[in-house]
Amino acid sequence: MGQSIRERADTIGTFRYISVFLMETLARWVPTTQELEVKVLFGRHVWDFAQHADALGRRTHELRAALHYTLPPTKPYLHVLDTVSALEGSADRVAAVYDALIPELASRYERYLEETDRMLDEPSVRIIERNLADFPRLSRERLEFVAEAPALPPGDPKLAARIRTEAAGIASFVAVRAAQSPAASAVAG
């Protein structure tokens, strides 16, 4: 990958932003979700994304950024997140998170793992691998909880595909900070 420490911090900070977004969005949806099973599903996974965000945030500090450094993604990717955040129906919310955002985030994690120097960036690799290991369980729990909510109204069957396609079409989701000049680095250090 050949990324500098600063670029790795920006990427990890962006992954943290997305984890915080998922945590906060699910938490915000809990009180406005009618189906108890979906409320419980969202509530359980708020904790998972909080754990992901915390681990990523601690890693940013190790990469010479602030503790819990969080970097918003590029504007096109923010647009995708805003689209998901604005959803109102439970079925659409479930589909957008579990069929679009989580698989799309998993793809970005996997790409990061493929491109990074696993020896030089081992702590990031371990954190990302742990986060990835949670995703099959989240999907399994989604199927279990939604199966218990037979009255869940149908959502838009094409919504998740549209969101995932739009997100996947955004090659660069990290809004990398400009490099500091040597003079600015000396003042900051």
Side-chain angles (χ1 to χ4, degrees), residues 60-77:
T60 60
H61 188 62
E62 296 167 354
L63 292 168
R64 301 183 198 155
L67 182 62
H68 297 299
Y69 169 66
T70 304
L71 182 67
T74 58
K75 286 184 182 185
Y77 204 88

Side-chain angles (χ1 to χ4, degrees), residues 9 12-14 16-17 20 50-71:
I12 299 299
T14 303
R16 182 175 194 281
Y17 183 98
V20 169
Q51 297 305 303
H52 294 182
D54 184 57
L56 292 163
R58 283 184 274 117
R59 178 63 180 142
T60 60
H61 188 62
E62 296 167 354
L63 292 168
R64 301 183 198 155
L67 182 62
H68 297 299
Y69 169 66
T70 304
L71 182 67

Side-chain angles (χ1 to χ4, degrees), residues 105-161:
L105 179 57
S107 295
R108 291 189 187 273
Y109 277 157
E110 289 164 356
R111 193 170 317 123
Y112 185 89
L113 294 175
E114 290 167 5
E115 295 174 354
T116 197
D117 182 321
R118 290 171 93 66
M119 186 171 72
L120 291 177
D121 199 20
E122 184 178 3
S124 300
V125 169
R126 286 183 177 202
I127 291 165
I128 290 170
E129 286 176 342
R130 276 186 292 230
N131 292 356
L132 276 168
D134 282 344
F135 291 165
R137 178 182 48 79
L138 299 182
S139 294
R140 188 174 57 254
E141 290 176 357
R142 173 268 182 109
L143 294 174
E144 292 167 1
F145 279 87
V146 171
E148 294 177 19
L152 185 66
D156 177 353
K158 297 179 182 175
L159 175 71

Side-chain angles (χ1 to χ4, degrees), residues 91-108:
D92 287 343
R93 289 172 170 179
V94 168
V97 169
Y98 297 91
D99 296 335
L101 288 185
I102 291 174
E104 207 286 318
L105 179 57
S107 295
R108 291 189 187 273

Side-chain angles (χ1 to χ4, degrees), residues 26 29-46 90-91 93-94 98 138-153:
L26 292 177
W29 285 348
V30 168
T32 62
T33 298
Q34 299 298 313
E35 302 78 13
L36 179 61
E37 298 83 359
V38 180
K39 281 181 184 283
V40 172
L41 175 72
F42 289 165
R44 287 175 62 121
H45 295 167
V46 165
S90 297
R93 289 172 170 179
V94 168
Y98 297 91
L138 299 182
S139 294
R140 188 174 57 254
E141 290 176 357
R142 173 268 182 109
L143 294 174
E144 292 167 1
F145 279 87
V146 171
E148 294 177 19
L152 185 66

